[in-house]
Amino acid sequence: MIIDILTIFPSMVAGPITESIIGKAVTRELIDIRIINIRDYAVGPHRTTDDRPFGGGSGMVMKPEPLMAAIGDVRKNDPAARVILLSPQGRLFDQGIALELSRLSHICLVCGRYEGVDERIRDHYVDDEISIGDYVLTGGELPALVIVDAVARLLPGVLGSNESLTEESFITGLLEYPHYTRPEIFENHRVPDILLSGNHGAIRRWRRQQALLRTWERRPDLLKKNDLSLEDEELLAEAVSTKEMRKAGN
Ligand code: SAM
């Protein structure tokens, strides 16, 4: 997969894509991340990429010409590239969108700055607009890295065999069950006995029950979107009643 990142701050994204799992995926050529400096497409002695807003007001706006030229170059080389503007006004990024993007051969992430990009770029030169959350950041570089990370780890071969995607939060429609590692007793806090039992069936059941309980407690909205099987409903009811009994001191 190719991911282009169009930015006026290339060094903001250069470091993170060389580290850890993403860095290894780049080295192993499972993903090709290309950082494109929008300023290289600006003209004039100062290669200016922003200007004052028509109508007045505070802040600057990213000029359309350098963006159009940079996006044009990407499209010329690959008309199939999906050009995505990062914007707090876009559709809200989630695991489903990460999965959707991971199935594409080429995405191009356009990072805004200042008050954002000239509206004509949004209207005529991008295919999609994505927000990473209901808050405003100073630029699209961190959102672009969030998307790169979430998408890259879904690509075949990027995660090692030990890092299974199948049970992760959101992939199953539930939050994932809790994890423990050595030592068995840490500051008087014991690992749940069941995880030390070696009984794989019982461990699977416990994990499913914990995932259901966690989701019920923390993200009931996810449960509403999910049709639980009868077995899941029974597991959840048992977990809730055990928890309530414990709370009541029984
Ligand atoms: N004036 C814009 C508004 O009120 O909607 C905010 C512009 S923001 C300061 C500058 C740039 O940061 C945006 O063009 C976008 O590329 C990026 N950005 C900020 N928050 C974002 C978010 N939540 N998701 C994606 N991109 C974001």
Side-chain angles (χ1 to χ4, degrees):
M1 179 182 199
I2 300 172
I3 303 184
D4 293 325
I5 304 177
L6 270 57
T7 170
I8 55 169
F9 293 111
S11 55
M12 263 194 87
V13 285
I17 62 167
T18 63
E19 296 290 336
S20 183
I21 288 174
I22 306 300
K24 278 190 207 138
V26 170
T27 310
R28 291 165 58 213
E29 298 183 0
L30 297 172
I31 182 167
D32 182 10
I33 305 176
R34 310 187 300 200
I35 304 171
I36 297 169
N37 191 342
I38 298 166
R39 207 173 290 287
D40 291 343
Y41 291 85
V43 292
H46 303 295
R47 293 189 172 270
T48 307
T49 56
D50 58 289
D51 206 339
R52 292 188 306 276
F54 278 126
S58 61
M60 300 296 270
V61 177
M62 288 187 77
K63 287 166 68 59
E65 304 93 325
L67 284 164
M68 181 194 69
I71 294 169
D73 235 7
V74 169
R75 288 202 194 278
K76 193 171 73 195
N77 291 325
D78 182 4
R82 183 183 300 179
V83 178
I84 301 165
L85 176 66
L86 281 326
S87 157
Q89 301 176 16
R91 59 188 179 127
L92 211 48
F93 189 60
D94 63 10
Q95 192 67 27
I97 298 180
L99 201 60
E100 172 195 325
L101 300 183
S102 74
R103 294 184 178 131
L104 302 174
S105 59
H106 187 171
I107 61 174
C108 169
L109 303 170
V110 182
C111 305
R113 278 271 150 184
Y114 318 115
E115 288 305 317
V117 307
D118 185 290
E119 190 68 10
R120 291 162 291 185
I121 289 296
R122 201 222 292 271
D123 286 343
H124 304 292
Y125 295 92
V126 304
D127 306 309
D128 199 353
E129 200 178 335
I130 292 181
S131 163
I132 61 157
D134 288 345
Y135 40 80
V136 178
L137 299 164
T138 53
E141 288 74 12
L142 296 177
L145 289 170
V146 167
I147 292 176
V148 167
D149 196 286
V151 169
R153 65 196 298 285
L154 297 177
L155 298 176
V158 168
L159 292 187
S161 53
N162 291 336
E163 294 146 312
S164 165
L165 285 171
T166 52
E167 293 187 325
E168 278 194 325
S169 298
F170 309 111
I171 291 199
T172 56
L174 300 175
L175 301 181
E176 199 182 26
Y177 51 79
H179 297 278
Y180 297 86
T181 186
R182 273 176 281 275
E184 270 177 48
I185 303 172
F186 166 68
E187 300 277 316
N188 282 333
H189 306 294
R190 289 184 64 83
V191 169
D193 288 338
I194 189 100
L195 296 177
L196 310 173
S197 69
N199 181 337
H200 296 299
I203 291 172
R204 239 190 333 272
R205 183 181 188 278
W206 180 86
R207 285 180 166 164
R208 181 76 189 167
Q209 192 169 45
Q210 289 299 312
L212 287 161
L213 180 62
R214 231 159 223 231
T215 313
W216 180 78
E217 287 175 329
R218 299 175 190 201
R219 292 292 305 274
D221 57 305
L222 294 178
L223 278 188
K224 280 192 200 124
K225 287 188 212 152
N226 243 330
D227 267 344
L228 292 188
S229 66
L230 191 61
E231 198 187 343
D232 277 347
E233 280 185 19
E234 283 170 5
L235 275 176
L236 178 58
E238 182 187 272
V240 172
S241 93
T242 308
K243 185 140 193 174
E244 278 168 2
M245 270 163 53
R246 279 212 192 108
K247 230 199 275 165
N250 294 328

